[in-house]
Amino acid sequence: MRYFIPIDKSSIKRNERAGESHSFVAFPTEKIVHKDGSVEIIRELMEIRHLPIPEWYYNYIPIMVECSECHEKFLNTNLLSDEDSDGCYSGTICPFCGEWGCCDIEFEDIYKVIEKGKY
Ligand SMILES: [Zn+2]
């Protein structure tokens, strides 16, 4: 059976930093234990590189799906994923019976949603 996973429209937010591929994180470099027992952590800002930040942040609404093999019903967020030794991948493995491709899911396309609404 084919399921459509909708985007939670209230969760859509444009990312002001879209496209940026570096950020700063506070990295602990030193731990000082004072005589009174208090602990002080010295942090240094470190620049990290990463994949470009996506333009939109959003969440999907979990829906109930049914396994085509064992007919158990569960939220799509409980589907398992795995890759076999031949490099075949499945993101729709039943958490109950382990059937690969236990249902067919389609995630709503963020760009189609953006076209229709004002975000
Ligand atoms: Zn199953």
Side-chain angles (χ1 to χ4, degrees):
M1 173 137 182
R2 189 167 182 84
Y3 298 94
F4 184 73
I5 317 289
I7 288 173
D8 175 0
K9 308 302 184 282
S10 68
S11 74
I12 299 174
K13 269 190 275 178
R14 180 186 283 275
N15 195 328
E16 299 301 324
R17 296 184 58 219
E20 288 184 23
S21 58
H22 69 273
S23 300
F24 290 92
V25 290
F27 199 83
T29 54
E30 200 179 340
K31 180 178 169 184
I32 300 166
V33 181
H34 295 285
K35 283 183 181 154
D36 66 1
S38 63
V39 176
E40 187 181 348
I41 306 288
I42 307 296
R43 291 182 170 84
E44 225 172 77
L45 281 184
M46 274 184 84
E47 186 179 6
I48 55 160
R49 300 225 160 252
H50 47 76
L51 289 171
I53 295 173
E55 188 173 5
W56 301 98
Y57 276 137
Y58 54 93
N59 297 314
Y60 287 100
I61 299 170
I63 64 161
M64 292 299 283
V65 297
E66 183 180 331
C67 173
S68 60
E69 184 67 22
C70 71
H71 302 287
E72 286 282 355
K73 292 184 174 85
F74 49 89
L75 288 173
N76 72 291
T77 50
N78 291 322
L79 284 163
L80 304 175
S81 61
D82 199 7
E83 187 179 320
D84 69 15
S85 54
D86 296 328
C88 292
Y89 172 84
S90 175
T92 52
I93 299 173
C94 176
F96 290 94
C97 72
E99 175 76 3
W100 277 47
C102 73
C103 61
D104 197 7
I105 56 174
E106 179 189 347
F107 288 92
E108 187 168 23
D109 184 335
I110 183 66
Y111 291 102
K112 286 183 182 160
V113 176
I114 298 303
E115 269 176 25
K116 288 179 203 157
K118 290 176 184 155
Y119 296 98

mmCIF file of all heavy atoms in Angstrom, residues 5-52:
data_model
loop_
_atom_site.group_PDB
_atom_site.id
_atom_site.type_symbol
_atom_site.label_atom_id
_atom_site.label_comp_id
_atom_site.label_asym_id
_atom_site.label_seq_id
_atom_site.Cartn_x
_atom_site.Cartn_y
_atom_site.Cartn_z
ATOM 1 N N ILE A 5 3.202 11.019 3.156
ATOM 2 C CA ILE A 5 3.597 11.620 4.439
ATOM 3 C C ILE A 5 3.585 13.143 4.274
ATOM 4 O O ILE A 5 4.436 13.705 3.573
ATOM 5 C CB ILE A 5 5.012 11.164 4.874
ATOM 6 C CG1 ILE A 5 5.233 9.664 4.657
ATOM 7 C CG2 ILE A 5 5.287 11.597 6.312
ATOM 8 C CD1 ILE A 5 4.492 8.752 5.574
ATOM 9 N N PRO A 6 2.608 13.815 4.904
ATOM 10 C CA PRO A 6 2.486 15.267 4.706
ATOM 11 C C PRO A 6 3.453 16.070 5.603
ATOM 12 O O PRO A 6 3.834 15.632 6.681
ATOM 13 C CB PRO A 6 1.036 15.551 5.112
ATOM 14 C CG PRO A 6 0.728 14.499 6.123
ATOM 15 C CD PRO A 6 1.558 13.286 5.770
ATOM 16 N N ILE A 7 3.800 17.233 5.105
ATOM 17 C CA ILE A 7 4.608 18.168 5.893
ATOM 18 C C ILE A 7 3.682 18.898 6.864
ATOM 19 O O ILE A 7 2.574 19.299 6.500
ATOM 20 C CB ILE A 7 5.322 19.177 4.954
ATOM 21 C CG1 ILE A 7 6.441 18.456 4.189
ATOM 22 C CG2 ILE A 7 5.864 20.371 5.739
ATOM 23 C CD1 ILE A 7 7.102 19.298 3.119
ATOM 24 N N ASP A 8 4.133 19.070 8.094
ATOM 25 C CA ASP A 8 3.407 19.869 9.079
ATOM 26 C C ASP A 8 3.611 21.339 8.684
ATOM 27 O O ASP A 8 4.676 21.898 8.901
ATOM 28 C CB ASP A 8 3.983 19.577 10.471
ATOM 29 C CG ASP A 8 3.368 20.470 11.536
ATOM 30 O OD1 ASP A 8 2.493 21.308 11.205
ATOM 31 O OD2 ASP A 8 3.777 20.332 12.705
ATOM 32 N N LYS A 9 2.555 21.940 8.087
ATOM 33 C CA LYS A 9 2.687 23.292 7.532
ATOM 34 C C LYS A 9 3.078 24.324 8.597
ATOM 35 O O LYS A 9 3.734 25.302 8.293
ATOM 36 C CB LYS A 9 1.385 23.725 6.845
ATOM 37 C CG LYS A 9 0.838 22.740 5.803
ATOM 38 C CD LYS A 9 1.803 22.433 4.685
ATOM 39 C CE LYS A 9 1.225 21.533 3.615
ATOM 40 N NZ LYS A 9 1.171 20.106 3.956
ATOM 41 N N SER A 10 2.673 24.098 9.848
ATOM 42 C CA SER A 10 3.001 25.069 10.901
ATOM 43 C C SER A 10 4.476 24.998 11.296
ATOM 44 O O SER A 10 4.972 25.863 12.010
ATOM 45 C CB SER A 10 2.113 24.844 12.128
ATOM 46 O OG SER A 10 2.448 23.611 12.743
ATOM 47 N N SER A 11 5.173 23.963 10.838
ATOM 48 C CA SER A 11 6.584 23.817 11.221
ATOM 49 C C SER A 11 7.533 24.453 10.213
ATOM 50 O O SER A 11 8.734 24.522 10.450
ATOM 51 C CB SER A 11 6.931 22.334 11.382
ATOM 52 O OG SER A 11 7.035 21.709 10.110
ATOM 53 N N ILE A 12 7.005 24.930 9.081
ATOM 54 C CA ILE A 12 7.881 25.447 8.012
ATOM 55 C C ILE A 12 8.471 26.799 8.400
ATOM 56 O O ILE A 12 7.743 27.717 8.757
ATOM 57 C CB ILE A 12 7.105 25.576 6.681
ATOM 58 C CG1 ILE A 12 6.604 24.200 6.239
ATOM 59 C CG2 ILE A 12 8.004 26.200 5.605
ATOM 60 C CD1 ILE A 12 5.714 24.243 5.011
ATOM 61 N N LYS A 13 9.782 26.856 8.348
ATOM 62 C CA LYS A 13 10.482 28.105 8.658
ATOM 63 C C LYS A 13 11.611 28.296 7.664
ATOM 64 O O LYS A 13 12.341 27.365 7.353
ATOM 65 C CB LYS A 13 11.104 28.042 10.062
ATOM 66 C CG LYS A 13 10.198 28.563 11.154
ATOM 67 C CD LYS A 13 10.951 28.709 12.449
ATOM 68 C CE LYS A 13 10.974 27.391 13.196
ATOM 69 N NZ LYS A 13 11.706 27.404 14.441
ATOM 70 N N ARG A 14 11.739 29.501 7.147
ATOM 71 C CA ARG A 14 12.860 29.789 6.259
ATOM 72 C C ARG A 14 14.113 29.963 7.125
ATOM 73 O O ARG A 14 14.061 30.597 8.173
ATOM 74 C CB ARG A 14 12.604 31.066 5.475
ATOM 75 C CG ARG A 14 13.743 31.424 4.518
ATOM 76 C CD ARG A 14 13.500 32.773 3.882
ATOM 77 N NE ARG A 14 12.510 32.720 2.832
ATOM 78 C CZ ARG A 14 12.776 32.387 1.554
ATOM 79 N NH1 ARG A 14 13.996 32.075 1.203
ATOM 80 N NH2 ARG A 14 11.828 32.373 0.658
ATOM 81 N N ASN A 15 15.187 29.387 6.658
ATOM 82 C CA ASN A 15 16.432 29.479 7.412
ATOM 83 C C ASN A 15 17.229 30.692 6.953
ATOM 84 O O ASN A 15 17.613 30.780 5.796
ATOM 85 C CB ASN A 15 17.239 28.200 7.219
ATOM 86 C CG ASN A 15 18.333 28.100 8.235
ATOM 87 O OD1 ASN A 15 18.890 29.107 8.668
ATOM 88 N ND2 ASN A 15 18.637 26.896 8.637
ATOM 89 N N GLU A 16 17.457 31.601 7.901
ATOM 90 C CA GLU A 16 18.188 32.830 7.571
ATOM 91 C C GLU A 16 19.621 32.539 7.133
ATOM 92 O O GLU A 16 20.230 33.344 6.446
ATOM 93 C CB GLU A 16 18.210 33.774 8.788
ATOM 94 C CG GLU A 16 16.836 34.231 9.255
ATOM 95 C CD GLU A 16 16.060 34.974 8.173
ATOM 96 O OE1 GLU A 16 16.665 35.714 7.395
ATOM 97 O OE2 GLU A 16 14.821 34.764 8.096
ATOM 98 N N ARG A 17 20.148 31.400 7.550
ATOM 99 C CA ARG A 17 21.542 31.081 7.235
ATOM 100 C C ARG A 17 21.648 30.081 6.078
ATOM 101 O O ARG A 17 22.689 29.446 5.904
ATOM 102 C CB ARG A 17 22.237 30.534 8.477
ATOM 103 C CG ARG A 17 22.316 31.578 9.612
ATOM 104 C CD ARG A 17 23.092 31.050 10.798
ATOM 105 N NE ARG A 17 24.436 30.681 10.394
ATOM 106 C CZ ARG A 17 25.088 29.614 10.840
ATOM 107 N NH1 ARG A 17 24.517 28.819 11.714
ATOM 108 N NH2 ARG A 17 26.304 29.340 10.432
ATOM 109 N N ALA A 18 20.591 29.964 5.283
ATOM 110 C CA ALA A 18 20.585 29.000 4.178
ATOM 111 C C ALA A 18 21.813 29.143 3.297
ATOM 112 O O ALA A 18 22.204 30.254 2.947
ATOM 113 C CB ALA A 18 19.325 29.185 3.342
ATOM 114 N N GLY A 19 22.411 28.041 2.965
ATOM 115 C CA GLY A 19 23.553 28.027 2.061
ATOM 116 C C GLY A 19 24.897 28.134 2.752
ATOM 117 O O GLY A 19 25.921 27.802 2.169
ATOM 118 N N GLU A 20 24.901 28.606 3.994
ATOM 119 C CA GLU A 20 26.181 28.727 4.705
ATOM 120 C C GLU A 20 26.735 27.341 5.017
ATOM 121 O O GLU A 20 25.990 26.413 5.298
ATOM 122 C CB GLU A 20 25.993 29.505 6.022
ATOM 123 C CG GLU A 20 25.756 30.981 5.782
ATOM 124 C CD GLU A 20 25.676 31.759 7.088
ATOM 125 O OE1 GLU A 20 26.216 31.293 8.112
ATOM 126 O OE2 GLU A 20 25.064 32.836 7.069
ATOM 127 N N SER A 21 28.034 27.233 4.962
ATOM 128 C CA SER A 21 28.635 25.919 5.194
ATOM 129 C C SER A 21 29.702 25.947 6.278
ATOM 130 O O SER A 21 30.547 25.076 6.345
ATOM 131 C CB SER A 21 29.213 25.372 3.884
ATOM 132 O OG SER A 21 30.158 26.280 3.373
ATOM 133 N N HIS A 22 29.647 26.977 7.128
ATOM 134 C CA HIS A 22 30.515 26.954 8.297
ATOM 135 C C HIS A 22 29.784 27.567 9.485
ATOM 136 O O HIS A 22 28.908 28.410 9.326
ATOM 137 C CB HIS A 22 31.851 27.656 8.044
ATOM 138 C CG HIS A 22 31.715 29.137 7.878
ATOM 139 N ND1 HIS A 22 31.441 29.718 6.663
ATOM 140 C CD2 HIS A 22 31.787 30.137 8.779
ATOM 141 C CE1 HIS A 22 31.360 31.027 6.819
ATOM 142 N NE2 HIS A 22 31.558 31.304 8.094
ATOM 143 N N SER A 23 30.126 27.087 10.663
ATOM 144 C CA SER A 23 29.519 27.566 11.900
ATOM 145 C C SER A 23 30.599 27.590 12.964
ATOM 146 O O SER A 23 31.698 27.093 12.758
ATOM 147 C CB SER A 23 28.397 26.617 12.366
ATOM 148 O OG SER A 23 27.391 26.520 11.394
ATOM 149 N N PHE A 24 30.254 28.140 14.124
ATOM 150 C CA PHE A 24 31.183 28.134 15.241
ATOM 151 C C PHE A 24 30.569 27.347 16.391
ATOM 152 O O PHE A 24 29.376 27.465 16.669
ATOM 153 C CB PHE A 24 31.495 29.567 15.694
ATOM 154 C CG PHE A 24 32.318 30.315 14.684
ATOM 155 C CD1 PHE A 24 31.713 31.076 13.704
ATOM 156 C CD2 PHE A 24 33.700 30.224 14.708
ATOM 157 C CE1 PHE A 24 32.466 31.756 12.754
ATOM 158 C CE2 PHE A 24 34.479 30.895 13.769
ATOM 159 C CZ PHE A 24 33.852 31.659 12.787
ATOM 160 N N VAL A 25 31.379 26.540 17.034
ATOM 161 C CA VAL A 25 30.915 25.811 18.209
ATOM 162 C C VAL A 25 31.878 26.098 19.351
ATOM 163 O O VAL A 25 33.076 26.281 19.134
ATOM 164 C CB VAL A 25 30.831 24.279 17.984
ATOM 165 C CG1 VAL A 25 29.703 23.934 17.033
ATOM 166 C CG2 VAL A 25 32.134 23.710 17.483
ATOM 167 N N ALA A 26 31.313 26.119 20.562
ATOM 168 C CA ALA A 26 32.150 26.317 21.751
ATOM 169 C C ALA A 26 32.724 24.958 22.141
ATOM 170 O O ALA A 26 31.983 24.013 22.404
ATOM 171 C CB ALA A 26 31.313 26.901 22.878
ATOM 172 N N PHE A 27 34.025 24.870 22.130
ATOM 173 C CA PHE A 27 34.707 23.607 22.362
ATOM 174 C C PHE A 27 35.452 23.685 23.692
ATOM 175 O O PHE A 27 36.259 24.585 23.892
ATOM 176 C CB PHE A 27 35.692 23.378 21.211
ATOM 177 C CG PHE A 27 36.131 21.969 21.052
ATOM 178 C CD1 PHE A 27 35.340 21.064 20.354
ATOM 179 C CD2 PHE A 27 37.332 21.543 21.596
ATOM 180 C CE1 PHE A 27 35.749 19.756 20.210
ATOM 181 C CE2 PHE A 27 37.749 20.239 21.448
ATOM 182 C CZ PHE A 27 36.960 19.340 20.752
ATOM 183 N N PRO A 28 35.162 22.769 24.643
ATOM 184 C CA PRO A 28 35.881 22.851 25.927
ATOM 185 C C PRO A 28 37.358 22.501 25.752
ATOM 186 O O PRO A 28 37.686 21.493 25.143
ATOM 187 C CB PRO A 28 35.161 21.816 26.797
ATOM 188 C CG PRO A 28 34.457 20.910 25.858
ATOM 189 C CD PRO A 28 34.232 21.650 24.574
ATOM 190 N N THR A 29 38.230 23.372 26.232
ATOM 191 C CA THR A 29 39.674 23.136 26.059
ATOM 192 C C THR A 29 40.381 22.894 27.383
ATOM 193 O O THR A 29 41.455 22.325 27.416
ATOM 194 C CB THR A 29 40.358 24.336 25.369
ATOM 195 O OG1 THR A 29 40.046 25.512 26.110
ATOM 196 C CG2 THR A 29 39.894 24.473 23.936
ATOM 197 N N GLU A 30 39.774 23.363 28.474
ATOM 198 C CA GLU A 30 40.468 23.233 29.760
ATOM 199 C C GLU A 30 39.445 23.156 30.891
ATOM 200 O O GLU A 30 38.417 23.817 30.837
ATOM 201 C CB GLU A 30 41.373 24.463 29.975
ATOM 202 C CG GLU A 30 42.466 24.253 30.982
ATOM 203 C CD GLU A 30 43.332 25.509 31.106
ATOM 204 O OE1 GLU A 30 43.337 26.353 30.194
ATOM 205 O OE2 GLU A 30 43.986 25.636 32.151
ATOM 206 N N LYS A 31 39.766 22.339 31.882
ATOM 207 C CA LYS A 31 38.892 22.208 33.055
ATOM 208 C C LYS A 31 39.717 22.603 34.278
ATOM 209 O O LYS A 31 40.749 22.008 34.554
ATOM 210 C CB LYS A 31 38.422 20.754 33.167
ATOM 211 C CG LYS A 31 37.513 20.479 34.332
ATOM 212 C CD LYS A 31 37.092 19.010 34.289
ATOM 213 C CE LYS A 31 36.407 18.586 35.556
ATOM 214 N NZ LYS A 31 36.095 17.154 35.537
ATOM 215 N N ILE A 32 39.264 23.627 34.960
ATOM 216 C CA ILE A 32 39.993 24.095 36.135
ATOM 217 C C ILE A 32 39.154 23.799 37.373
ATOM 218 O O ILE A 32 37.993 24.203 37.464
ATOM 219 C CB ILE A 32 40.270 25.612 36.043
ATOM 220 C CG1 ILE A 32 41.103 25.912 34.792
ATOM 221 C CG2 ILE A 32 40.977 26.097 37.303
ATOM 222 C CD1 ILE A 32 41.160 27.383 34.428
ATOM 223 N N VAL A 33 39.760 23.057 38.322
ATOM 224 C CA VAL A 33 39.073 22.785 39.586
ATOM 225 C C VAL A 33 39.641 23.734 40.634
ATOM 226 O O VAL A 33 40.828 23.703 40.944
ATOM 227 C CB VAL A 33 39.275 21.315 40.034
ATOM 228 C CG1 VAL A 33 38.525 21.051 41.333
ATOM 229 C CG2 VAL A 33 38.819 20.354 38.937
ATOM 230 N N HIS A 34 38.790 24.617 41.155
ATOM 231 C CA HIS A 34 39.239 25.606 42.138
ATOM 232 C C HIS A 34 39.308 24.979 43.525
ATOM 233 O O HIS A 34 38.723 23.921 43.777
ATOM 234 C CB HIS A 34 38.288 26.810 42.132
ATOM 235 C CG HIS A 34 38.327 27.562 40.828
ATOM 236 N ND1 HIS A 34 39.367 28.386 40.474
ATOM 237 C CD2 HIS A 34 37.455 27.579 39.782
ATOM 238 C CE1 HIS A 34 39.135 28.890 39.271
ATOM 239 N NE2 HIS A 34 37.968 28.419 38.827
ATOM 240 N N LYS A 35 40.004 25.678 44.430
ATOM 241 C CA LYS A 35 40.204 25.152 45.791
ATOM 242 C C LYS A 35 38.875 24.961 46.531
ATOM 243 O O LYS A 35 38.747 24.079 47.368
ATOM 244 C CB LYS A 35 41.119 26.092 46.596
ATOM 245 C CG LYS A 35 42.578 25.919 46.200
ATOM 246 C CD LYS A 35 43.495 26.791 47.033
ATOM 247 C CE LYS A 35 44.933 26.583 46.554
ATOM 248 N NZ LYS A 35 45.773 27.746 46.815
ATOM 249 N N ASP A 36 37.898 25.800 46.200
ATOM 250 C CA ASP A 36 36.597 25.664 46.872
ATOM 251 C C ASP A 36 35.749 24.542 46.265
ATOM 252 O O ASP A 36 34.597 24.347 46.659
ATOM 253 C CB ASP A 36 35.845 27.009 46.843
ATOM 254 C CG ASP A 36 35.449 27.421 45.426
ATOM 255 O OD1 ASP A 36 35.741 26.670 44.465
ATOM 256 O OD2 ASP A 36 34.847 28.496 45.277
ATOM 257 N N GLY A 37 36.299 23.813 45.314
ATOM 258 C CA GLY A 37 35.579 22.686 44.717
ATOM 259 C C GLY A 37 34.816 23.028 43.455
ATOM 260 O O GLY A 37 34.339 22.123 42.757
ATOM 261 N N SER A 38 34.679 24.322 43.166
ATOM 262 C CA SER A 38 33.944 24.691 41.955
ATOM 263 C C SER A 38 34.781 24.378 40.713
ATOM 264 O O SER A 38 36.006 24.353 40.766
ATOM 265 C CB SER A 38 33.563 26.172 41.992
ATOM 266 O OG SER A 38 34.726 26.968 41.997
ATOM 267 N N VAL A 39 34.091 24.090 39.642
ATOM 268 C CA VAL A 39 34.764 23.698 38.399
ATOM 269 C C VAL A 39 34.507 24.760 37.339
ATOM 270 O O VAL A 39 33.385 25.240 37.179
ATOM 271 C CB VAL A 39 34.245 22.321 37.906
ATOM 272 C CG1 VAL A 39 34.864 21.953 36.561
ATOM 273 C CG2 VAL A 39 34.545 21.251 38.945
ATOM 274 N N GLU A 40 35.556 25.109 36.643
ATOM 275 C CA GLU A 40 35.428 26.092 35.570
ATOM 276 C C GLU A 40 35.871 25.430 34.266
ATOM 277 O O GLU A 40 36.915 24.801 34.212
ATOM 278 C CB GLU A 40 36.333 27.288 35.892
ATOM 279 C CG GLU A 40 36.164 28.450 34.952
ATOM 280 C CD GLU A 40 37.104 29.606 35.320
ATOM 281 O OE1 GLU A 40 37.693 29.584 36.408
ATOM 282 O OE2 GLU A 40 37.259 30.506 34.487
ATOM 283 N N ILE A 41 35.042 25.552 33.261
ATOM 284 C CA ILE A 41 35.383 24.992 31.945
ATOM 285 C C ILE A 41 35.743 26.151 31.016
ATOM 286 O O ILE A 41 34.945 27.068 30.837
ATOM 287 C CB ILE A 41 34.192 24.198 31.341
ATOM 288 C CG1 ILE A 41 33.687 23.119 32.300
ATOM 289 C CG2 ILE A 41 34.571 23.615 29.977
ATOM 290 C CD1 ILE A 41 34.579 21.924 32.486
ATOM 291 N N ILE A 42 36.936 26.085 30.472
ATOM 292 C CA ILE A 42 37.363 27.101 29.507
ATOM 293 C C ILE A 42 36.974 26.612 28.112
ATOM 294 O O ILE A 42 37.266 25.478 27.735
ATOM 295 C CB ILE A 42 38.896 27.321 29.561
ATOM 296 C CG1 ILE A 42 39.366 27.614 31.000
ATOM 297 C CG2 ILE A 42 39.314 28.434 28.595
ATOM 298 C CD1 ILE A 42 38.847 28.889 31.610
ATOM 299 N N ARG A 43 36.286 27.472 27.388
ATOM 300 C CA ARG A 43 35.848 27.095 26.039
ATOM 301 C C ARG A 43 36.471 28.006 24.999
ATOM 302 O O ARG A 43 36.660 29.193 25.229
ATOM 303 C CB ARG A 43 34.321 27.162 25.945
ATOM 304 C CG ARG A 43 33.635 26.100 26.741
ATOM 305 C CD ARG A 43 32.124 26.194 26.570
ATOM 306 N NE ARG A 43 31.472 25.051 27.147
ATOM 307 C CZ ARG A 43 31.165 24.937 28.435
ATOM 308 N NH1 ARG A 43 31.458 25.913 29.255
ATOM 309 N NH2 ARG A 43 30.580 23.855 28.890
ATOM 310 N N GLU A 44 36.723 27.424 23.866
ATOM 311 C CA GLU A 44 37.258 28.177 22.748
ATOM 312 C C GLU A 44 36.291 28.014 21.587
ATOM 313 O O GLU A 44 35.744 26.934 21.391
ATOM 314 C CB GLU A 44 38.605 27.566 22.359
ATOM 315 C CG GLU A 44 39.696 28.578 22.107
ATOM 316 C CD GLU A 44 41.026 27.881 21.933
ATOM 317 O OE1 GLU A 44 41.221 27.328 20.840
ATOM 318 O OE2 GLU A 44 41.833 27.877 22.878
ATOM 319 N N LEU A 45 36.094 29.079 20.819
ATOM 320 C CA LEU A 45 35.244 28.963 19.638
ATOM 321 C C LEU A 45 36.035 28.316 18.517
ATOM 322 O O LEU A 45 37.145 28.721 18.216
ATOM 323 C CB LEU A 45 34.755 30.343 19.187
ATOM 324 C CG LEU A 45 33.594 30.940 19.961
ATOM 325 C CD1 LEU A 45 33.179 32.258 19.331
ATOM 326 C CD2 LEU A 45 32.404 29.990 20.004
ATOM 327 N N MET A 46 35.438 27.280 17.935
ATOM 328 C CA MET A 46 36.087 26.609 16.814
ATOM 329 C C MET A 46 35.185 26.700 15.604
ATOM 330 O O MET A 46 33.978 26.534 15.716
ATOM 331 C CB MET A 46 36.311 25.123 17.133
ATOM 332 C CG MET A 46 37.574 24.837 17.879
ATOM 333 S SD MET A 46 37.743 23.056 18.055
ATOM 334 C CE MET A 46 38.502 22.633 16.509
ATOM 335 N N GLU A 47 35.788 26.949 14.465
ATOM 336 C CA GLU A 47 35.022 27.004 13.232
ATOM 337 C C GLU A 47 34.884 25.576 12.697
ATOM 338 O O GLU A 47 35.864 24.839 12.651
ATOM 339 C CB GLU A 47 35.742 27.876 12.203
ATOM 340 C CG GLU A 47 34.915 28.076 10.945
ATOM 341 C CD GLU A 47 35.600 28.974 9.919
ATOM 342 O OE1 GLU A 47 36.758 29.349 10.128
ATOM 343 O OE2 GLU A 47 34.949 29.256 8.907
ATOM 344 N N ILE A 48 33.667 25.190 12.366
ATOM 345 C CA ILE A 48 33.481 23.874 11.753
ATOM 346 C C ILE A 48 32.856 24.048 10.372
ATOM 347 O O ILE A 48 32.078 24.968 10.133
ATOM 348 C CB ILE A 48 32.599 22.927 12.615
ATOM 349 C CG1 ILE A 48 31.251 23.556 12.928
ATOM 350 C CG2 ILE A 48 33.308 22.521 13.892
ATOM 351 C CD1 ILE A 48 30.199 22.560 13.333
ATOM 352 N N ARG A 49 33.229 23.149 9.481
ATOM 353 C CA ARG A 49 32.681 23.154 8.113
ATOM 354 C C ARG A 49 31.651 22.029 8.013
ATOM 355 O O ARG A 49 31.802 20.989 8.635
ATOM 356 C CB ARG A 49 33.793 22.952 7.098
ATOM 357 C CG ARG A 49 34.832 24.032 7.159
ATOM 358 C CD ARG A 49 35.207 24.528 5.768
ATOM 359 N NE ARG A 49 35.815 25.850 5.861
ATOM 360 C CZ ARG A 49 35.196 26.961 5.465
ATOM 361 N NH1 ARG A 49 33.988 26.917 4.942
ATOM 362 N NH2 ARG A 49 35.791 28.119 5.573
ATOM 363 N N HIS A 50 30.597 22.257 7.268
ATOM 364 C CA HIS A 50 29.542 21.246 7.117
ATOM 365 C C HIS A 50 28.840 21.460 5.796
ATOM 366 O O HIS A 50 29.110 22.430 5.076
ATOM 367 C CB HIS A 50 28.544 21.341 8.281
ATOM 368 C CG HIS A 50 28.090 22.738 8.566
ATOM 369 N ND1 HIS A 50 27.186 23.401 7.781
ATOM 370 C CD2 HIS A 50 28.453 23.608 9.543
ATOM 371 C CE1 HIS A 50 26.991 24.613 8.264
ATOM 372 N NE2 HIS A 50 27.753 24.780 9.323
ATOM 373 N N LEU A 51 27.919 20.561 5.470
ATOM 374 C CA LEU A 51 27.127 20.706 4.244
ATOM 375 C C LEU A 51 26.324 22.003 4.336
ATOM 376 O O LEU A 51 25.988 22.440 5.437
ATOM 377 C CB LEU A 51 26.170 19.510 4.094
ATOM 378 C CG LEU A 51 26.836 18.174 3.757
ATOM 379 C CD1 LEU A 51 25.822 17.043 3.866
ATOM 380 C CD2 LEU A 51 27.455 18.202 2.366
ATOM 381 N N PRO A 52 26.026 22.621 3.205
ATOM 382 C CA PRO A 52 25.257 23.875 3.251
ATOM 383 C C PRO A 52 23.942 23.713 4.014
ATOM 384 O O PRO A 52 23.258 22.699 3.879
ATOM 385 C CB PRO A 52 24.998 24.176 1.772
ATOM 386 C CG PRO A 52 26.061 23.440 1.031
ATOM 387 C CD PRO A 52 26.361 22.214 1.846
#
